[in-house]
Amino acid sequence: MGLIVQKYGGTSVGDLDRIRNVARRVIETVKAGHQVAVVVSAMAGETDELVALAHGAGGDTPLAREYDALLSTGEQKTIALLAMTISQLGQPAQSFNGRQAGIRTDAAHLRARIENIDTANLREVLDAGVVAVIAGFQGFDDGGNITTLGRGGSDTTAVAVAAALRADACEIYTDVAGIYTADPNLVPSARKLDRISYDEMLELSSLGAKVLQIRSAGFAMRYSVPLHVRSSFDDAEGTWVVSEEEVMEQLLVSGVTYNRKEAKIRVRGVKDQPGIAAKIFSPISGAGIVVDMIVQNLSQDGTTDLTFTVEKACYAQAIEIAQRVANEIGAAAVEGDENIVKVSIVGLGMKDHAGVASKMFQVLADEGINIQLITTSEIKVSVLIDEKYAELAVRTLHDAFIGDGAAEPAQES
Ligand code: ASP
Ligand code: MG
């Protein structure tokens, strides 16, 4: 007998039939002898509607405190509906909003971080054989204000609750069968992975593979919570996210992913002298804009070019700042390009295997795809290319490194 935390996303609780389906699954888990805490998202589309309402009432920047008060109602609806449905089927269940579940966060509305979870209330109910149904995405700060954790935040709630309760597993139920080697809509031969490491999952989340909120992957890694990402529409095993030691088959490349949400900015003809990069990037980070890739060209005649990427949502603001700084430091010009895509390969096997990056470059070169920027980490290589090649690049890289469902484990280097 163990304790299982299950999380169901918006599609899985999209209507009453689906909520009944979730209730049956929860009850099966109880019947198998487990204590069950369930974390749910708002019904599909609900949070988007609440966001639109908030802007209707509060303009471009609605009051953050009230924005969170409104957005948190989506999840409140689902916890009540699910608790009623489970009880109706004969299994006692009780709903918990963020505060009732003891989920205390910092005061950063819209992107609050969980600071700690007082599990006393949850424990008491679970120990009495009652299913705890917890609202995802929300908590409360020191002042008792309702906070939300950022879009997709229910994943983080689930992992944090699992860590706090020292659950035996955290099951993330979603509308896909698990973590794939690439987006199956783009690459028909993409296959579901049985296991993947926390590090790989973290890279994939940050690169735009939208299966898990990135913060939840970080949480799971820090607290070694075994995660099982699986479909709520069938009983098949999904993908286990576990520690590196538990991943038997260390793939050279376990995922090919892409992110269209970045834009490129180049500051041309910058004097190549100390302090210039700081002059450009300080005001940008000061405005809360996150810079991802950065490349500085070799200098010629004492000047150089600085190229970097930012999220498309911050592009206009970043260009404006770059333009202002460029004038101040006497740079030649500022150019921008929104028609780009970042394509990445991720795999634990890269750690002790040479030549992965160069093979990636060759594969792209063979397709006539020009690489604009490159960044790497121990287990990742990312390239920036023209957006029109996104699909071609992802497909050919998947073919080259993973192939037709027969991914090869990494060989010793
Ligand atoms: N309902 C919230 C959202 O749509 C949180 C979540 O679904 O995880 O972002
Ligand atoms: Mg989600």
Side-chain angles (χ1 to χ4, degrees):
M1 144 135 195
L3 197 166
I4 310 280
V5 173
Q6 299 186 331
K7 182 256 167 179
Y8 294 90
T11 329
S12 305
V13 293
D15 57 36
L16 287 182
D17 274 343
R18 290 186 170 181
I19 289 179
R20 258 189 295 275
N21 179 38
V22 166
R24 276 193 286 269
R25 212 177 253 281
V26 169
I27 292 172
E28 268 168 35
T29 315
V30 173
K31 292 227 166 96
H34 301 292
Q35 292 185 331
V36 185
V38 192
V39 173
V40 283
S41 294
M43 294 164 89
E46 175 95 17
T47 308
D48 289 337
E49 277 169 34
L50 293 169
V51 168
L53 274 176
H55 289 295
D60 284 347
T61 49
L63 289 173
R65 181 182 185 280
E66 309 314 331
Y67 192 92
D68 277 353
L70 181 67
L71 259 60
S72 63
T73 62
E75 274 71 14
Q76 307 238 26
K77 231 164 112 176
T78 24
I79 54 171
L81 291 172
L82 181 57
M84 285 174 195
T85 311
I86 295 174
S87 305
Q88 178 79 13
L89 293 172
Q91 163 62 45
Q94 185 181 316
S95 68
F96 291 81
N97 66 21
R99 180 155 197 168
Q100 292 166 330
I103 301 173
R104 211 177 45 74
T105 71
D106 63 17
H109 286 291
L110 277 72
R111 55 187 154 79
R113 285 174 179 275
I114 296 178
E115 288 186 335
N116 83 293
I117 302 185
D118 177 351
T119 56
N121 288 346
L122 291 175
R123 279 266 179 233
E124 195 183 317
V125 162
L126 290 168
D127 287 344
V130 175
V131 170
V133 183
I134 304 161
F137 178 56
Q138 58 176 269
F140 68 103
D141 69 9
D142 274 342
N145 304 296
I146 299 172
T147 53
T148 63
L149 311 180
R151 298 304 304 268
S154 299
D155 294 336
T156 301
T157 305
V159 176
V161 165
L165 288 172
R166 299 190 208 304
D168 295 287
C170 180
E171 301 181 332
I172 307 279
Y173 285 93
T174 176
D175 50 7
V176 293
I179 316 282
Y180 278 76
T181 49
D183 180 349
N185 298 315
L186 220 62
V187 185
S189 64
R191 71 169 176 110
K192 181 175 65 71
L193 294 157
D194 294 333
R195 281 166 182 247
I196 189 172
S197 68
Y198 294 120
D199 293 282
E200 288 166 304
M201 190 65 237
L202 211 53
E203 288 285 9
L204 289 174
S205 310
S206 71
L207 294 170
K210 281 201 303 298
V211 186
L212 278 184
Q213 197 197 33
I214 174 160
R215 233 183 243 175
S216 74
F219 239 108
M221 175 152 100
R222 188 147 15 106
Y223 295 99
S224 303
V225 179
L227 283 186
H228 187 186
V229 179
R230 58 193 304 189
S231 165
S232 62
F233 300 111
D234 60 47
D235 286 325
E237 282 267 308
T239 304
W240 282 92
V241 188
V242 292
S243 68
E244 195 175 318
E245 300 74 54
E246 292 168 273
V247 180
M248 311 299 186
E249 195 195 9
Q250 299 213 334
L251 302 177
L252 202 51
V253 172
S254 50
V256 181
T257 182
Y258 63 100
N259 182 356
R260 295 180 200 267
K261 289 201 182 133
E262 291 186 13
K264 182 179 79 170
I265 296 174
R266 180 196 292 178
V267 186
R268 275 195 16 227
V270 179
K271 281 194 204 77
D272 193 10
Q273 63 191 37
I276 288 289
K279 279 214 179 80
I280 294 176
F281 292 113
S282 302
I284 289 181
S285 66
I289 299 172
V290 177
V291 172
D292 180 24
M293 310 170 97
I294 302 180
V295 167
Q296 179 179 335
N297 292 4
L298 268 179
S299 76
Q300 277 184 330
D301 324 320
T303 67
T304 180
D305 295 346
L306 257 174
T307 310
F308 57 97
T309 63
V310 296
E311 272 197 32
K312 271 188 186 146
C314 307
Y315 177 62
Q317 198 190 358
I319 280 268
E320 217 178 281
I321 296 172
Q323 194 70 63
R324 199 181 63 227
V325 179
N327 290 340
E328 280 167 26
I329 62 175
V334 174
E335 293 162 0
D337 187 357
E338 287 189 272
N339 300 319
I340 48 137
V341 62
K342 182 171 73 170
V343 176
S344 311
I345 57 176
V346 174
L348 271 187
M350 281 183 212
K351 270 190 189 173
D352 34 39
H353 202 91
V356 176
S358 55
K359 177 170 170 186
M360 178 185 197
F361 305 152
Q362 191 57 54
V363 168
L364 296 172
D366 291 346
E367 296 295 332
I369 300 173
N370 182 44
I371 299 172
Q372 305 178 14
L373 299 183
I374 301 167
T375 53
T376 64
S377 81
E378 231 189 349
I379 61 164
K380 175 203 77 178
V381 186
S382 297
V383 296
L384 200 73
I385 60 172
D386 190 323
E387 187 174 24
K388 69 175 181 239
Y389 296 125
E391 300 196 15
L392 177 65
V394 171
R395 259 192 229 124
T396 43
L397 288 169
H398 191 273
D399 277 354
F401 283 105
I402 299 171
D404 245 344
E408 274 173 47
Q411 311 285 317
E412 297 282 314
S413 57

